[in-house]
């Protein structure tokens, strides 16, 4: 149930994200369009999700992001899974409880995502100028993602709370 709910939210965020550039593009700031999927993946990593189920869901959402963004297949798939695993590893030490931590987490992971995109594009891409051009977009993209992160974290928290399995009387706490 929870995985299905997060998948549905992720798809909705991808649809919103793919159309958000039309509104934000009027600001004339290159790269400011946020990644709405990134805070959702970070939320899943920071909270107590099974690494296998979380990585599988991150894989699926990353693959859909590849399809939505017309990027090379596997680029965002790899980055989304890597983001989940890093957020999961850091989840013990990080807690996205306050507005400041939500914004900081989203900003830091958006910077990490941007660096990974540049590195992978430089290694596997054929255009040598593209990584330099992408480097100028990393900071505005991270800022845009950080600004929208509290909304995505709030939505993810609502989905998390709505899908908590409460044991019925007589079942005990076993799963």
């Amino acid at each position: 149930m929870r995985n299905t709910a997060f998948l549905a939210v992720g798809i909705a965020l991808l649809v919103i994200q793919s159309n958000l550039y039309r509104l934000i593009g009027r600001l004339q700031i290159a790269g400011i369009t946020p990644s709405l999927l990134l805070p959702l993946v970070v939320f899943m990593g920071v909270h107590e999700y099974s690494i296998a189920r979380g990585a599988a869901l991150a894989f699926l959402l990353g693959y859909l992001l590849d399809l939505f963004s017309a990027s090379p297949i596997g680029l965002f798939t790899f980055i989304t899974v890597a983001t989940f695993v890093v957020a999961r590893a850091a989840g013990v030490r990080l807690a996205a409880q306050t507005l400041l931590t939500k914004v900081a987490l989203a900003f830091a992971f958006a910077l990490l995502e941007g660096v990974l995109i540049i590195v992978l594009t430089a290694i596997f891409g054929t255009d040598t100028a593209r990584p330099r051009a992408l480097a100028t977009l990393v900071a505005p993209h991270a800022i845009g993602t950080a600004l929208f992160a509290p909304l995505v974290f709030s939505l993810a928290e609502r989905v998390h709370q709505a899908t908590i399995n409460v044991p019925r009387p007589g079942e005990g706490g076993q799963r």
Side-chain angles (χ1 to χ4, degrees):
M1 172 72 179
R2 178 175 288 163
N3 293 334
T4 305
F6 271 103
L7 180 61
V9 168
I11 291 171
L13 289 173
L14 283 173
V15 170
I16 293 168
Q17 177 180 326
S18 66
N19 290 297
L20 195 59
Y21 77 95
R22 293 180 182 157
L23 298 173
I24 295 179
R26 296 179 183 163
L27 296 175
Q28 301 296 322
I29 301 172
I32 195 71
T33 304
S35 171
L36 300 179
L37 192 61
L38 182 72
L40 182 67
V41 172
V42 171
F43 178 90
M44 291 184 331
V46 170
H47 287 76
E48 298 300 319
Y49 287 93
S50 159
I51 192 141
R53 285 189 297 169
L57 186 57
F59 179 88
L60 185 58
L61 290 171
Y63 184 74
L64 289 172
L65 182 57
D66 281 334
L67 295 177
F68 272 69
S69 66
S71 68
I73 298 297
L75 178 66
F76 284 109
T77 305
F78 172 76
I79 290 172
T80 305
V81 172
T83 301
F84 172 79
V85 171
V86 170
R88 181 75 172 123
V92 176
R93 303 206 189 315
L94 302 173
Q97 302 297 326
T98 66
L99 179 68
L100 184 61
T101 58
K102 292 174 185 177
V103 169
L105 275 174
F107 182 76
F109 277 99
L111 284 177
L112 175 68
E113 177 187 53
V115 168
L116 283 174
I117 288 171
I118 291 169
V119 168
L120 292 173
T121 304
I123 293 171
F124 298 111
T126 57
D127 184 8
T128 58
R130 183 165 292 169
R132 283 186 291 250
L134 288 174
T136 62
L137 305 176
V138 172
H141 176 72
I143 291 169
T145 301
L147 291 175
F148 280 85
L151 297 172
V152 176
F153 271 98
S154 175
L155 178 63
E157 185 63 39
R158 287 185 187 154
V159 170
H160 176 75
Q161 291 298 324
T163 58
I164 290 177
N165 294 333
V166 178
R168 291 182 223 135
E171 286 185 349
Q174 298 175 356
R175 292 184 185 193

